């Protein structure tokens, strides 16, 4: 009986010990946002890491591999991903813009990649934008429901928005819109994917940084391990090599 009781106590003590990094599994979610995160199969949702690719996805996979921390990964819509990460420790949503409002809601790994709001004109255009106010005399193509479109609408700009942002480069090329607002990476990506090569950036409205946002109940030791792995990738040039593949 004494032996049995001692065995139970030892087992209980073992269960109460903090988990090693190798024994923890993070549950990660992201949205379909090419070329940062996207399905290998052109599907709306994915359930396995091997079926998800993209600039940020590739970086996140390497971060966890180098930190020797396990992970699962799913592709979902943004609203689901963002709320999912807030409900339980060891959950994260990546491709997240760090804002003052969001900062206290998560712990942060990054920055992983840059994004921004860029106004594009078609090649050969004589349009010159020296300040954002100059753009108010032009029709601007945008992605319907996107934060960029919402900002333009609330500030008095003329927009022509679509549910599929990938269609805007051809509209720009054909003259249906004068300018197109997109990202510094996603803009050229969508244009090239649709056979449009003659677009040019004419004004950068703002620059943003994208992160992995981790549930705030996750122990700090894991956030440190992940940030350390990212910094090693940055200093070795590996981060730049991954980014270059998508530009």
């Amino acid at each position: 009986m004494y032996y049995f009781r001692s065995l139970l106590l030892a087992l209980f003590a073992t269960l109460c010990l903090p988990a090693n990094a190798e024994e923890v599994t993070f549950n990660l979610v992201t949205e379909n946002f090419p070329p940062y995160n996207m399905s290998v199969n052109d599907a709306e949702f994915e359930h396995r890491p091997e079926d998800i690719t993209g600039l940020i996805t590739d970086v996140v996979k390497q971060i966890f591999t180098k930190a020797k921390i396990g992970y699962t990964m799913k592709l979902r819509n943004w609203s689901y991903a963002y709320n999912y990460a807030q409900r339980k420790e060891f959950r994260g949503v990546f491709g997240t813009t760090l804002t003052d409002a969001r900062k206290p809601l998560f712990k942060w790994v990054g920055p992983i990649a840059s994004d921004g709001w860029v106004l594009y004109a078609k090649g050969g255009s004589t349009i010159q934008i020296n300040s954002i106010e100059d753009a108010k005399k032009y029709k601007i193509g945008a992605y319907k429901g996107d934060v960029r479109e919402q900002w333009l609408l609330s500030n008095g700009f003329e927009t022509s928005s679509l549910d599929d942002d990938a269609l805007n480069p051809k509209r720009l090329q054909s003259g249906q819109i004068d300018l197109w607002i997109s990202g510094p990476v996603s803009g050229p990506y969508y244009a090239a994917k649709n056979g449009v090569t003659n677009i040019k950036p004419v004004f950068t409205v703002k620059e943003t940084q994208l992160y992995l946002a981790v549930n705030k109940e996750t122990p700090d030791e894991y956030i440190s391990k992940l940030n350390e792995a990212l910094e090693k990738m940055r200093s070795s040039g590996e981060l730049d090599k991954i980014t270059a593949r998508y530009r």
Side-chain angles (χ1 to χ4, degrees):
M1 180 63 71
Y2 174 78
Y3 173 78
F4 181 69
R5 186 165 56 246
S6 298
L7 186 62
L8 284 177
L9 288 172
L11 178 61
F12 179 76
T14 301
L15 292 173
C16 290
L17 287 173
N20 293 324
E22 294 81 356
E23 298 171 344
V24 165
T25 299
F26 277 66
N27 296 302
L28 307 176
V29 191
T30 189
E31 66 172 334
N32 205 330
F33 182 43
Y36 294 106
N37 317 296
M38 51 193 171
S39 165
V40 171
N41 308 303
D42 289 326
E44 186 177 0
F45 302 127
E46 293 290 2
H47 311 279
R48 304 182 304 171
E50 57 266 36
D51 293 327
I52 307 170
T53 189
L55 193 164
I56 295 179
T57 301
D58 291 354
V59 174
V60 169
K61 288 178 179 179
Q62 280 298 103
I63 290 172
F64 277 83
T65 297
K66 291 182 180 299
K68 297 181 179 179
I69 298 175
Y71 67 92
T72 66
M73 186 178 288
K74 294 182 180 180
L75 192 68
R76 293 289 187 268
N77 63 49
W78 175 251
S79 178
Y80 174 90
Y82 187 75
N83 290 310
Y84 173 87
Q86 293 184 70
R87 291 199 296 266
K88 191 175 181 181
E89 63 181 3
F90 297 111
R91 289 182 178 182
V93 53
F94 59 90
T96 310
T97 302
L98 175 57
T99 65
D100 290 339
R102 289 174 175 173
K103 189 172 184 179
L105 302 178
F106 298 95
K107 293 180 179 179
W108 299 86
V109 178
I112 295 173
S114 297
D115 194 18
W117 303 4
V118 180
L119 290 172
Y120 292 93
K122 67 179 180 181
S125 171
T126 59
I127 292 176
Q128 291 187 343
I129 307 294
N130 297 312
S131 73
I132 190 57
E133 290 298 311
D134 292 342
K136 283 192 171 178
K137 56 189 173 184
Y138 300 107
K139 182 188 291 184
I140 305 173
Y143 178 30
K144 193 171 184 178
D146 181 63
V147 65
R148 301 179 183 102
E149 184 223 27
Q150 293 171 349
W151 185 87
L152 289 172
L153 289 172
S154 64
N155 284 278
F157 291 83
E158 180 186 358
T159 64
S160 176
S161 305
L162 295 179
D163 289 321
D164 186 356
D165 200 29
L167 299 176
N168 278 316
K170 286 192 173 181
R171 297 173 73 215
L172 183 67
Q173 187 180 49
S174 66
Q176 295 178 52
I177 53 177
D178 304 309
L179 297 169
W180 170 41
I181 190 165
S182 190
V185 178
S186 56
Y189 174 86
Y190 280 132
K193 191 174 181 180
N194 286 275
V196 178
T197 57
N198 62 335
I199 67 168
K200 62 178 184 179
V202 293
F203 190 76
T204 298
V205 181
K206 91 189 296 190
E207 295 180 351
T208 58
Q209 300 294 319
L210 302 175
Y211 289 72
L212 164 63
V214 179
N215 182 279
K216 65 181 181 180
E217 300 303 322
T218 304
D220 287 340
E221 63 181 286
Y222 297 101
I223 308 303
S224 296
K225 284 179 181 291
L226 294 170
N227 272 309
E228 287 168 8
L230 174 59
E231 286 309 308
K232 287 179 181 178
M233 292 174 63
R234 199 186 309 280
S235 61
S236 70
E238 186 175 359
L239 187 61
D240 289 337
K241 289 179 181 178
I242 293 174
T243 301
R245 295 206 299 259
Y246 293 90
R247 289 189 180 274

